[in-house]
Amino acid sequence: MNDTHAPDLVVVTGASSGIGEATVRHLRGLGTPVVAVARRRERLETLAGEVGCEVVAADLATAEGARALTDHVGARALAAVVANAGGARGVDPVEAAGGEEAEAVIGRWREMYDMNVVATLRTVTALLPALRAGGGDVVVVTSMAAREFYPGGAGYTAAKHAERAIPATLRMELLGEPIRIIEIAPGLVHTEEFSLRRLGDRARAEAVYAGVPGPLHAADVAEAIAWTLSRPAHVNIDLLEINPVAQAGATRVHRLTP
Ligand SMILES: NC(=O)c1ccc[n+]([C@@H]2O[C@H](COP(=O)([O-])OP(=O)(O)OC[C@H]3O[C@@H](n4cnc5c(N)ncnc54)[C@H](OP(=O)(O)O)[C@@H]3O)[C@@H](O)[C@H]2O)c1
């Protein structure tokens, strides 16, 4: 998505909240036509009413969901896909996968693999023909968790490390084609739902950000994504790591004591 690309249609996944929603808002603010994708249609429709995007309600971890997206895009060429859908479920220690809650824990690992890895894989591959037609860009939102590990985080870090393999490998496999492959790896982003959906209750979720002087906000990441897309056509931002000043690693977060 830059001066030399004729089409300007962008697909943003995980658009019903957080970073994806902020990315839709930012791109629409620039006048870019956007297809917003997530499972919850109602939230997408509300967003569409505010910013005027197209919507596709689909579970991208499934073949039907990916097909619904390609059916919607149809014969149009794409300027970019922002594969952002994903998230974390639980903070289970590795050993819990062998304990009394084993099946529930392993279920959460599978869910994280599906929503982060399978959904990104299906999204990007389903849209490759439309991206090829438009000389479009692939943006994958991974995480600091794609490079680090922390206690209670193995299910999520395993999924994000695996997700990172997609852009890293695709960049080699598509070498010679005018398709840029960009990975965005944020640290702590205070979004409305990420920690809530991970931990299941509001108080625990808010404790993740308690006392942190300036966690990232979804809009910070959205702006960074748009910046990578607006570089000249020959410039590929392979990896953009973006963290709050108050964070120097997954477990090294500065907090002001009350
Ligand atoms: N927040 C952070 O601290 C942080 C840090 C680094 C990286 N990240 C990554 O950034 C991305 C966005 O995070 P966020 O904080 O914005 O989280 P969020 O607010 O929970 O948003 C996640 C989005 O993904 C969608 N989604 C999940 N599974 C899906 C599926 N199978 N098919 C379609 N859509 C699906 C959700 O919508 P529906 O439920 O409506 O489908 C939602 O719109 C994720 O990949 C996350 O891992 C977040």
Side-chain angles (χ1 to χ4, degrees):
M1 199 181 99
N2 50 57
D3 294 347
T4 61
H5 289 146
D8 54 3
L9 183 64
V10 175
V11 169
V12 178
T13 75
S16 63
S17 62
I19 294 167
E21 179 186 329
T23 302
V24 174
R25 289 184 187 280
H26 188 91
L27 292 174
R28 289 299 301 131
L30 298 173
T32 305
V34 177
V35 180
V37 194
R39 290 167 298 188
R40 290 170 295 173
R41 175 177 295 282
E42 205 174 290
R43 289 182 67 104
L44 294 174
E45 299 284 7
T46 302
L47 179 63
E50 291 177 31
V51 303
C53 57
E54 301 174 33
V55 307
V56 176
D59 182 346
L60 294 167
T62 68
E64 304 74 52
R67 202 171 311 118
L69 176 56
T70 49
D71 285 351
H72 180 91
V73 170
R76 292 180 290 176
L78 283 182
V81 58
V82 181
N84 159 79
R89 296 292 182 267
V91 284
D92 304 297
V94 172
E95 190 175 356
E100 284 180 9
E101 300 287 321
E103 292 316 310
V105 171
I106 290 169
R108 286 192 279 276
W109 278 62
R110 287 191 200 281
E111 188 181 349
M112 286 187 273
Y113 195 87
D114 269 350
M115 72 170 74
N116 292 286
V117 186
V118 177
T120 293
L121 185 61
R122 286 195 191 278
T123 300
V124 171
T125 54
L127 294 177
L128 256 187
L131 289 161
R132 278 205 169 100
D137 304 317
V138 175
V139 177
V140 178
V141 179
T142 63
S143 173
M144 175 184 275
R147 284 173 180 74
E148 293 202 28
F149 303 101
Y150 53 93
Y156 182 56
T157 56
K160 284 303 197 186
H161 276 72
E163 185 183 22
R164 170 188 162 205
I166 299 170
T169 308
L170 202 55
R171 199 177 297 118
M172 297 175 190
E173 293 175 351
L174 299 188
L175 187 65
E177 296 191 47
I179 294 183
R180 304 187 294 188
I181 313 282
I182 298 158
E183 179 188 350
I184 308 285
L188 198 67
V189 190
H190 192 169
T191 54
E192 181 192 343
E193 295 194 341
F194 179 85
S195 293
L196 181 62
R197 297 180 98 180
R198 177 175 209 174
L199 300 169
D201 85 76
R202 181 68 66 188
R204 287 181 73 202
E206 285 310 313
V208 171
Y209 313 101
V212 179
L216 294 177
H217 297 290
D220 298 320
V221 183
E223 195 178 336
I225 290 169
W227 177 79
T228 65
L229 292 174
S230 66
R231 295 307 85 212
H234 67 288
V235 177
N236 196 121
I237 306 297
D238 288 24
L239 168 65
L240 195 152
E241 294 182 283
I242 173 169
N243 297 303
V245 174
Q247 184 172 28
T251 55
R252 298 193 66 83
V253 178
H254 175 62
R255 292 179 199 272
L256 303 170
T257 45

